[in-house]
Structures are given as C-alpha cells and as structure tokens.
Amino acid sequence: MGKLQARVTSIEYLNADILGIRIRPSQPFAYRAGQFINFCKDEYTVRSYSLASVPELEDELFLNVRKVPNGLMTNWIFGDLKAGDTITISEAEGDCFYVTGNPEQNILLIGTGSGLAPLYGILRDALRKGHTGKIGLYHGCYDTAGFYLVEELRKLAQDHANFSYVPCVSDGEAPQGYAQGLVLDVALKDNPTSPAGACSSAATRSW
Ligand SMILES: Cc1cc2nc3c(=O)[nH]c(=O)nc-3n(C[C@H](O)[C@H](O)[C@H](O)COP(=O)(O)OP(=O)(O)OC[C@H]3O[C@@H](n4cnc5c(N)ncnc54)[C@H](O)[C@@H]3O)c2cc1C
C-alpha cells in the first residue's frame, strides 16, 4: 500500500472527545467516502481512520478522531498535532462505500460515537448521487454530549425528504429531538425486517 505526505489544514473539536481533522494530500488522492486511511505517527505507530469527506464535495480529507485514554496515537493527535504539520498517510482502503445502480433501495446507516465518520461520508455521497430510496442514519451515544455534526445532519434531513437522522441516547432521558434506547434496537424497531435485498446497511461502532 503506497504512502504519501499530507498537510494538516485544520483541527477543531467536534465535541469534548472528538476532533475533526482536515488534511490535504500532497498529490492527487483517489478514494470513496466511507473508506479509511492509515495515519502514521512514526514508523511503528500506525492507526486507521475513516474518511468522512466526499471527494466531489471537498478538497480535503475529513477525519473524526475520538480520544482514547492512554492511546498512543490519539494522545499524540490531541496533544501535539497542529495545523500546518506534515504527516504520512496511506492510500485509501476498505469496501464500505456507496455503490450506484440501485437508487431506489433503502439504506440503513447505524453507528456509535466516532463510528459516525464513514456514515457521514456515505450519506452525503448517496444524496449527492441522487439516491431516491429512504436513507436512515441512526447515531448512538450515552448522552447528548456525545453527538456531533448534529446541525449539519439536521439540515440535510430538512433538505432531503428521503433522509431521516435519528440521534439515540442510551443512558437516561432523551430530550426532544432524540430517541431513547440502544441505537441498534431503535433502528431495527423503526425498520422492521424488509425482504432480502430491499435494504442495504452499514453499521459502525466508536473505535
Ligand atoms: C478500519 C478502521 C477505521 C477506524 N476509524 C476510526 C475513526 O474514524 N475514528 C476513530 O476515532 N478511530 C477509528 N479507528 C480506531 C483507530 O484506528 C485507533 O484504534 C484508535 O484511535 C486508538 O488508537 P491509539 O493508538 O490512541 O490507542 P492504542 O494505543 O492502540 O490503545 C487502545 C486502547 O488499548 C489500551 N491498551 C493499549 N495497549 C495495552 C496493553 N498492552 N494492555 C492493556 N491495554 C492496552 C489503551 O490504554 C487504550 O485504551 C478505526 C479503526 C479501524 C480498524
């Protein structure tokens, strides 16, 4: 797998535990929204991060990185990495992305925590390509502090009648606009078994 250099163009907190990192590869970079790249701290410390960006919509790669207690890579990212730094990344890998050809098929996207990253890319890719079937994105967190990209997702739901965004709170009361329960339970209750092949789905978890 080839490696290349990329420049960090911005880093921002998406919530208290998750950073949104934008990086610009030094050369043309082919990928599909939802794939992942390997991100190198040094020769020995390499970790995978999903691509939340869509190549046709943005010039930079967009990563959502959750802080892991005592994590080798994430301690370094949260403590030392800054805009302007040059890093080494791999080419994109992975088979989880939107495939054209079945625009009327329903899509169910389910994820927790930073597992939203690939789903955010896949969702926007599908909408951009004119998907007409229903798309449901269920994002699960313990409480409302864990959610991020909420405004962006609510706006997409307003703009696209076939897309619904359901943030699910698993711990305690869910305020208005949120569902209560484990994300998988909520998603499957809302979407009872459909005939085989009638729905494609992607499920991720917070890594
Ligand atoms: C395909 C793929 C895509 C991914 N996409 C994302 C993404 O979009 N966003 C995201 O945030 N993450 C993602 N991840 C997870 C990411 O790759 C890292 O695993 C994560 O960031 C933690 O890395 P770290 O080096 O900080 O933690 P590590 O240093 O690997 O440690 C992880 C945990 O294990 C514990 N640990 C480490 N060594 C030991 C030991 N010897 N004994 C006991 N405990 C130990 C640490 O304390 C820590 O809690 C993805 C992973 C995969 C495979």
Side-chain angles (χ1 to χ4, degrees):
M1 183 60 52
K3 292 206 174 136
L4 64 149
Q5 301 291 102
R7 195 166 62 83
V8 178
T9 56
S10 73
I11 302 185
E12 59 168 334
Y13 275 89
L14 299 174
N15 68 24
D17 292 324
I18 297 179
L19 284 178
I21 303 176
R22 292 188 192 275
I23 60 178
R24 189 181 289 267
S26 58
Q27 58 197 69
F29 188 85
Y31 74 99
R32 296 183 190 218
Q35 288 190 296
F36 66 90
I37 55 167
N38 291 319
F39 193 104
C40 311
K41 170 178 177 283
D42 51 51
E43 202 182 329
Y44 310 101
T45 316
V46 180
R47 299 288 185 272
S48 306
Y49 294 101
S50 302
L51 292 162
S53 45
V54 179
E56 294 84 0
L57 293 179
E58 48 226 305
D59 292 336
E60 292 157 334
L61 309 183
F62 181 42
L63 312 177
N64 304 166
V65 179
R66 184 177 70 90
K67 188 164 175 41
V68 172
N70 304 318
L72 218 52
M73 176 66 90
T74 54
N75 264 7
W76 173 72
I77 289 178
F78 277 73
D80 297 323
L81 191 71
K82 52 186 185 318
D85 286 354
T86 297
I87 51 159
T88 303
I89 61 171
S90 71
E91 291 167 359
E93 298 176 53
D95 299 327
C96 184
F97 48 77
Y98 179 72
V99 179
T100 53
N102 290 301
E104 284 156 24
Q105 196 169 41
N106 294 337
I107 300 178
L108 192 51
L109 304 168
I110 306 170
T112 59
S114 60
L116 176 65
L119 308 184
Y120 187 60
I122 291 167
L123 163 72
R124 293 184 302 138
D125 196 23
L127 293 174
R128 196 194 72 82
K129 288 178 172 144
H131 194 82
T132 54
K134 282 196 215 160
I135 308 176
L137 192 160
Y138 290 77
H139 187 206
C141 293
Y142 291 118
D143 54 38
T144 52
F147 294 98
Y148 65 98
L149 297 172
V150 174
E151 274 179 32
E152 290 82 346
L153 287 162
R154 289 202 198 283
K155 171 91 173 60
L156 285 170
Q158 267 170 21
D159 293 348
H160 299 270
N162 63 329
F163 167 53
S164 57
Y165 163 56
V166 185
C168 304
V169 174
S170 61
D171 222 15
E173 292 262 308
Q176 201 183 356
Y178 294 80
Q180 208 292 315
L182 292 173
V183 65
L184 195 57
D185 295 343
V186 177
L188 296 180
K189 188 165 170 248
D190 285 358
N191 301 271
T193 317
S194 20
C199 179
S200 36
S201 60
T204 60
R205 63 182 172 84
S206 196
W207 290 276

